[in-house]
Amino acid sequence: MANISDVAGNIPKIRAGYRRLLALGEGVASDEFILTIEGYPNLRYLCQSTQLPALMRENIESYGPQGVQFNQQGRYKNAQDVPITFKEVISGEAYKAVRDWVKNKKYLNVKIGLAGESFPTSNRNTTVVLEDCWLELEGADLSVEDGASLVRPAGTLHANWISWLDDDQDGTLSL
């Protein structure tokens, strides 16, 4: 006889959870995003990957009697580093824009929002504005031995303010 007791199936409970999940709506896929960069409308279509920035506060660690530990929330982490990758096209559109951005030491605003086929506009909960961004771009790999593959310049967006907590931010992007 098995040692496990007081076990019973509960299909109605499982079905209720399934229905609650479906009632929340369609899941968003990671490729259903829009990224816009102020002054560079074509980069929107060349951005291949990025990341929604972290939403966090700094950790403040303290200790009490007998070494008990307590962690509390500290300052809002307003500055973030966000990875970004572009696809280059034969006309050099991505490098043209990025060279101008870096050469002229521009600080730009970037918007990232989740939107897709079933929901062509983003909403306030899934859109974030990254303010006063500057860019570092790494070297792009080129090779004659690895077969044909796209040139994908990759780098880091350094954002100085992330609008996750701004109540007055216009938070929509559309396809």
Side-chain angles (χ1 to χ4, degrees), residues 4-167:
I4 301 172
S5 59
D6 298 328
V7 176
N10 190 342
I11 299 303
K13 181 178 181 178
I14 294 170
R15 185 157 179 85
Y18 167 74
R19 287 182 175 155
R20 286 187 186 115
L21 172 65
L22 291 183
L24 293 173
E26 180 180 7
V28 63
S30 64
D31 66 342
E32 295 182 322
F33 73 92
I34 302 167
L35 178 135
T36 62
I37 300 172
E38 179 181 79
Y40 300 97
N42 290 338
L43 286 183
R44 169 184 181 155
Y45 302 101
L46 296 175
C47 181
Q48 295 288 288
S49 67
T50 190
Q51 196 178 70
L52 285 172
L55 175 55
M56 61 193 322
R57 290 182 172 273
E58 291 179 346
N59 182 38
I60 298 176
E61 197 174 87
S62 65
Y63 295 89
Q66 291 79 44
V68 297
Q69 183 177 357
F70 177 74
N71 293 324
Q72 69 186 46
Q73 297 184 63
R75 298 176 292 202
Y76 171 60
K77 196 152 184 192
N78 64 287
Q80 299 280 333
D81 294 332
V82 178
I84 190 167
T85 303
F86 299 100
K87 172 181 106 171
E88 186 55 282
V89 291
I90 198 73
S91 66
E93 191 69 28
Y95 272 111
K96 176 183 172 187
V98 170
R99 285 172 57 186
D100 179 54
W101 192 350
V102 174
K103 178 181 178 181
N104 293 306
K105 201 174 178 181
K106 293 182 178 182
Y107 288 84
L108 301 171
N109 291 340
V110 175
K111 273 189 178 182
I112 304 170
L114 300 179
E117 182 179 1
S118 296
F119 45 100
T121 61
S122 64
N123 62 56
R124 291 177 57 86
N125 298 324
T126 62
T127 304
V128 64
V129 178
L130 290 65
E131 294 182 21
D132 302 318
C133 298
W134 58 280
L135 180 70
E136 286 183 308
L137 201 60
E138 300 165 5
D141 293 333
L142 307 173
S143 174
V144 296
E145 294 183 8
D146 295 331
S149 61
L150 293 174
V151 174
R152 289 192 175 102
T156 303
L157 273 175
H158 299 281
N160 286 298
W161 181 261
I162 309 297
S163 71
W164 281 126
L165 306 183
D166 294 348
D167 293 331

